[in-house]
Structure formats: structure tokens, C-alpha cells
Amino acid sequence: MGLANQLAAKGFVTVTFDMRGAGRSTGRASITGTAEVQDVVTVCRWAASHLPAPRIVVSGSSVGATISGAAIDQVEQVIGYVGLGYPFGWLGWLFFGQHKEPLLNSKKPKLFVMGERDGFTSVRQFRNALKLATGRIVTHLLPKVGHFQMERPSFDATLAEKIGAFATSLE
């Protein structure tokens, strides 16, 4: 059914898009995701003005989590953030480190979901990174789950439940 469809079935308005150069999207991806942050801002502003979505919870998975997180305070209608498998490990910092400060410094509520066996971020790195965060932080560690496993359809219901509960708590 897909995560976005499961959230829509729970009554949430959902918008998905491929980052530039991915899937059916045109353009070329940047190495650090800086241009893609502006794409997230553009999509959020479009959603706020064209859909019955006066309040937005922005979300991303893996690299998309770093990119969407950097946009959190650039759109007034964004009231919260969901990061799935945010790469807090050294490789993530190397390529996308410039995106961490806007997210961690934002006072907006944040939900982070990570697998305990994430190959890019250890549980220790995850917890240490979030010690630097401001605002309300909610975390969920999925036992015996790796980084890419969370993107499998078998995890859609679990993620939709956690995201739905978090989004509802913001209302």
C-alpha cells in the first residue's frame, strides 16, 4: 500500500516527490543536497497554497531526512519533522553535515525513527547527535532493523502508526 497511502488512509493529506535526478524527476542531483533543500521548500509552499494542508509535517528517509530537515524553518506552515534513518554517522556528516544545524537548532517538534542495526549510524551516534537538538524530540528505535529495511513495505504500517501518532500530537 505504501507509507504515504497508509497515512492518507488515516486522514492525512500526503505529498511525495522524487528528488531531482531520482525516479521520474528531472535535473541532476547535487552532491551535498543543498539545491534539493530548496526543492523541499518549494513543494511545502506549493502544498500550503494548493492543498487543504494549513499545517505541514515534513518527512524524509535516509539522505532525504537530512535534506528535508534543513528546510524545517524555511516554511512557516511546517510545524514538525519526521526523520527516518537519518544518517548521523560520519559518512552522513561528511556529505550532508551542513544540513544538521538547521534541523537540530529548530525548536519545532521532531520524530526520529531508526533501526538498531543501521549501517550508517550506530545507536550511540544517534543518541549523541540528538543531545544537541532543541525542541521536543521523540525517538523510536526499531529492534533488529537495518537502514534500508525500514523502506520495505513490511514496515509501512509500523511507520504510519508512529508518524500518525506524532502528527496528531502536534494538532
Side-chain angles (χ1 to χ4, degrees), residues 62-63 65-66 69 81-97 99-101 103-105 110-115 118-133 137-139 141 147:
S62 190
V63 170
T66 66
Y81 165 83
V82 175
L84 307 174
Y86 193 107
F88 281 118
W90 70 269
L91 191 59
W93 289 136
L94 179 65
F95 287 102
F96 307 104
H99 301 308
K100 70 177 179 175
E101 284 188 35
L103 173 62
L104 296 179
N105 291 335
K110 298 171 251 332
L111 166 64
F112 293 92
V113 182
M114 189 184 97
D118 189 298
F120 295 101
T121 304
S122 69
V123 172
R124 182 175 165 219
Q125 289 169 320
F126 176 70
R127 289 185 174 138
N128 285 340
L130 294 181
K131 287 178 185 176
L132 304 172
I137 307 296
V138 178
T139 62
L141 288 171
H147 186 81

Side-chain angles (χ1 to χ4, degrees), residues 16-149:
T16 64
F17 72 100
D18 289 326
M19 294 289 184
R20 57 179 67 200
R24 289 185 257 162
S25 194
T26 60
R28 294 183 61 135
S30 66
I31 293 173
T32 61
T34 302
E36 288 83 348
V37 172
Q38 289 310 305
D39 294 344
V40 172
V41 170
T42 299
V43 169
C44 288
R45 288 184 177 148
W46 178 88
S49 64
H50 289 84
L51 300 174
R55 297 181 300 176
I56 298 170
V57 176
V58 70
S59 177
S61 178
S62 190
V63 170
T66 66
I67 292 166
S68 63
I72 190 171
D73 284 334
Q74 294 186 40
V75 179
E76 180 182 335
Q77 292 85 354
V78 171
I79 61 167
Y81 165 83
V82 175
L84 307 174
Y86 193 107
F88 281 118
W90 70 269
L91 191 59
W93 289 136
L94 179 65
F95 287 102
F96 307 104
Q98 75 275 15
H99 301 308
K100 70 177 179 175
E101 284 188 35
L103 173 62
L104 296 179
N105 291 335
S106 174
K107 294 188 182 343
K108 294 180 181 177
K110 298 171 251 332
L111 166 64
F112 293 92
V113 182
M114 189 184 97
E116 286 182 338
R117 294 185 179 165
D118 189 298
F120 295 101
T121 304
S122 69
V123 172
R124 182 175 165 219
Q125 289 169 320
F126 176 70
R127 289 185 174 138
N128 285 340
L130 294 181
K131 287 178 185 176
L132 304 172
T134 60
R136 181 175 145 225
I137 307 296
V138 178
T139 62
H140 290 285
L141 288 171
L142 302 177
K144 301 180 183 177
V145 175
H147 186 81
F148 295 108
Q149 283 177 287

Side-chain angles (χ1 to χ4, degrees), residues 1 3-14 52-53 160 164 167-168 171:
M1 178 178 209
L3 180 56
N5 289 333
Q6 291 214 12
L7 288 167
K10 292 179 179 291
F12 296 100
V13 176
T14 60
T168 301
E171 297 176 356

